[in-house]
Amino acid sequence: MLDKGIRGQQEMTVTREDTAMVHGSGTLQVLATPRMAALMEETAWKSVAEYLESGMGTVGIRLELDHLAPTPVGMKVVCESVLDKVEGRKLTFSIIARDEKEEIGRAVHQRFLVEEEKFQKKAEQKND
């Protein structure tokens, strides 16, 4: 059962593949904002996955992200999420990311509960 208060945590070490230069979001060898966003979404969806019925999943529908500080290649990042609200099929999370020195990102993220097979079919119909 999905209830507010469910927590999630993911860790990563920043590699060259995670940088702004590689992700096309800048020219520097620091953690890219799009990569941080992906880590935040991953942390949120994985935190609730075990509470979902078979065949159900979540999709991201909104992400408000503040990238607060740079993180160099080789440094570890820890991302933590908390499910703050469950409003029908809409889930709202607060998320914080920290590197080994400081808080580097903060976000509010919303996800929507979907029937995976039905959702996938709807998406694929766009190719028809």
Side-chain angles (χ1 to χ4, degrees):
M1 170 131 189
L2 287 174
D3 279 321
K4 69 181 210 172
I6 294 173
R7 296 181 172 272
Q9 180 175 308
Q10 296 291 315
E11 295 183 9
M12 65 174 284
T13 299
V14 178
T15 67
R16 184 183 176 292
E17 289 73 34
D18 300 312
T19 64
M21 181 178 284
V22 171
H23 280 264
S25 64
T27 60
L28 299 174
Q29 295 288 330
V30 296
L31 178 64
T33 302
R35 182 63 183 96
M36 180 190 292
L39 177 65
M40 289 176 161
E41 285 205 49
E42 177 187 12
T43 304
W45 80 257
K46 284 185 174 179
S47 74
V48 297
E50 69 182 88
Y51 299 96
L52 303 180
E53 295 176 26
S54 178
M56 296 298 288
T58 64
V59 293
I61 60 170
R62 183 177 177 90
L63 180 66
E64 294 179 49
L65 179 134
D66 293 317
H67 196 157
L68 305 170
T71 302
V73 171
M75 191 167 275
K76 185 171 86 171
V77 173
V78 177
C79 185
E80 297 175 328
S81 67
V82 178
L83 178 58
D84 290 330
K85 289 185 207 167
V86 179
E87 300 168 290
R89 294 172 46 194
K90 185 170 75 171
L91 311 176
T92 303
F93 298 84
S94 57
I95 305 172
I96 295 175
R98 295 179 178 86
D99 65 21
E100 296 171 40
K101 300 290 183 183
E102 62 188 331
E103 183 177 314
I104 60 167
R106 186 173 285 266
V108 174
H109 179 44
Q110 292 179 335
R111 300 190 68 80
F112 204 75
L113 290 166
V114 297
E115 293 178 41
E116 292 178 321
E117 188 175 320
K118 182 179 174 184
F119 189 88
Q120 188 66 48
K121 282 182 182 176
K122 181 179 180 181
E124 289 170 4
Q125 287 174 351
K126 290 185 172 186
N127 286 323
D128 294 342

